[in-house]
Amino acid sequence: FIKETLLDYLDFVETEMNYKGKLIELCSSRKISAPIFHTEILKKNMFRTKIEIKSLNIVTYDLGKTIKQAERNASKKILKSI
């Protein structure tokens, strides 16, 4: 039971896209300034992340229930726009 449950969870984690990592890699490979992440807590279980890429004049905000989720959402938004 435990083995099956952990394996199912592992499959889920592996299929989740690491948008923050992809954004950092993209900036590095294109030789543009690294994204600057700033996350603040709005209220219990609600975070807002601001990502700024100065060389492209891009600033994006997004929300999430966790810091990771807010960063992931904002990173995904930027990746769709560039």
Side-chain angles (χ1 to χ4, degrees):
F1 171 76
I2 293 175
K3 186 177 180 181
E4 290 173 5
T5 305
L6 289 175
L7 288 176
D8 288 342
Y9 179 73
L10 183 61
D11 290 340
F12 169 76
V13 170
E14 288 178 352
T15 60
E16 187 177 317
M17 174 70 93
N18 180 2
Y19 292 103
K20 182 179 178 180
K22 292 288 184 190
L23 178 60
I24 292 168
E25 287 177 20
L26 180 70
C27 290
S28 177
S29 69
R30 292 188 180 179
K31 305 221 186 312
I32 56 180
S33 61
I36 299 168
F37 293 82
H38 176 73
T39 303
E40 61 184 351
I41 186 166
L42 300 178
K43 58 183 180 179
K44 187 176 181 180
N45 296 330
M46 186 56 62
F47 297 88
R48 178 174 61 189
T49 293
K50 170 187 173 185
I51 302 176
E52 182 177 6
I53 302 176
K54 291 186 178 189
S55 62
L56 298 178
N57 293 322
I58 293 176
V59 177
T60 299
Y61 295 86
D62 216 322
L63 304 173
K65 292 182 179 180
T66 64
I67 294 172
K68 182 178 179 178
Q69 186 181 40
E71 289 178 345
R72 182 178 187 269
N73 293 342
S75 297
K76 183 177 180 180
K77 190 184 285 187
I78 288 181
L79 284 169
K80 285 185 176 184
S81 71
I82 58 175

